[in-house]
Amino acid sequence: MTPFQRILGAAFDDLPGPVRALHALTTSAHTAGLADIRAAANPGAWLLCKVAGLPKPGQGVPVSVSFHPDGRGREFWNRRFAGRRYASTMEAGRQRDDGLLIERFGPFDLLFRLEPTPGRLAWSLVGWRVLGMPLPAWSRPTIECSESGDGTRFLFDIDVAFPLVGHVVHYRGWLEVIDQVHAGDGVEFK
């Protein structure tokens, strides 16, 4: 069971087809698409984007995301925006984090509440930690994500702002599966 299926339960089946497809993977998949990216010009925002590998501003920026489920409830996501890499691990929270999606990158854990609504899946950041230690709520960035579908395309819209720094980056775009490794046959289909 994927982290998204575990957290959403029966509500998972009501998500748009492309969202269900990418969040129900049992084998690796590679996607590609385009994004429009707006980033703040202030030095603090620039530095945060650079350090975290967040995308540079641009229109029609090539995007690729590889999804690699590990078969034990975790997924490894490797994103590239015009060559800039941002990788993380996703898993369903347990015990104190039950019902939350945990995205791990570097020393940080981002805790998201998932909310399925008609036609989309919304993510909202509700907590964060560094090296497993909770950080104060006043320091928490605002991260809002929306996923939906258009035909076979997976649509995404992500907005990030930090206290004291303000708006950092907003990117939206689409992805389509370009190849997938099928379990058991060791063959990659393109």
Side-chain angles (χ1 to χ4, degrees):
M1 182 175 290
T2 73
F4 295 87
Q5 291 168 321
R6 183 172 176 265
I7 293 166
L8 296 173
F12 183 85
D13 295 334
D14 296 329
L15 295 175
V19 177
R20 272 194 329 272
L22 284 182
H23 292 323
L25 292 171
T26 57
T27 60
S28 294
H30 308 286
T31 64
L34 297 174
D36 293 332
I37 305 160
R38 292 189 331 239
N42 73 62
W46 177 86
L47 183 61
L48 280 168
C49 283
K50 185 77 171 166
V51 169
L54 295 173
K56 293 179 185 178
Q59 299 292 308
V61 174
V63 177
S64 66
V65 182
S66 296
F67 301 88
H68 305 283
D70 73 354
R72 294 174 295 169
R74 285 186 305 184
E75 298 177 359
F76 303 97
W77 293 17
N78 186 13
R79 306 162 185 87
R80 289 196 183 275
F81 290 83
R84 186 177 270 190
R85 182 179 178 266
Y86 170 59
S88 62
T89 301
M90 304 287 183
E91 65 183 289
R94 301 192 186 281
Q95 298 172 351
R96 69 178 174 169
D97 301 326
D98 194 42
L100 299 176
L101 178 70
I102 302 173
E103 179 176 15
R104 291 193 164 92
F105 72 98
F108 293 97
D109 294 346
L110 303 178
L111 292 87
F112 289 95
R113 182 163 321 287
L114 301 179
E115 183 181 346
T117 60
R120 72 183 188 105
L121 175 62
W123 305 26
S124 294
L125 187 69
V126 296
W128 71 324
R129 298 186 288 248
V130 65
L131 299 172
M133 296 174 27
L135 294 167
W138 63 263
S139 71
R140 181 174 60 231
T142 301
I143 302 176
E144 298 294 334
C145 173
S146 175
E147 300 174 342
S148 59
D150 181 16
T152 61
R153 287 184 171 177
F154 172 90
L155 306 179
F156 59 89
D157 188 326
I158 300 155
D159 198 20
V160 180
F162 272 79
L164 304 176
V165 175
H167 184 260
V168 174
V169 67
H170 181 199
Y171 53 102
R172 66 176 65 172
W174 58 269
L175 296 168
E176 286 185 318
V177 174
I178 56 172
D179 60 55
Q180 187 168 1
V181 176
H182 294 273
D185 61 15
V187 176
E188 194 168 299
F189 293 95
K190 295 186 178 183

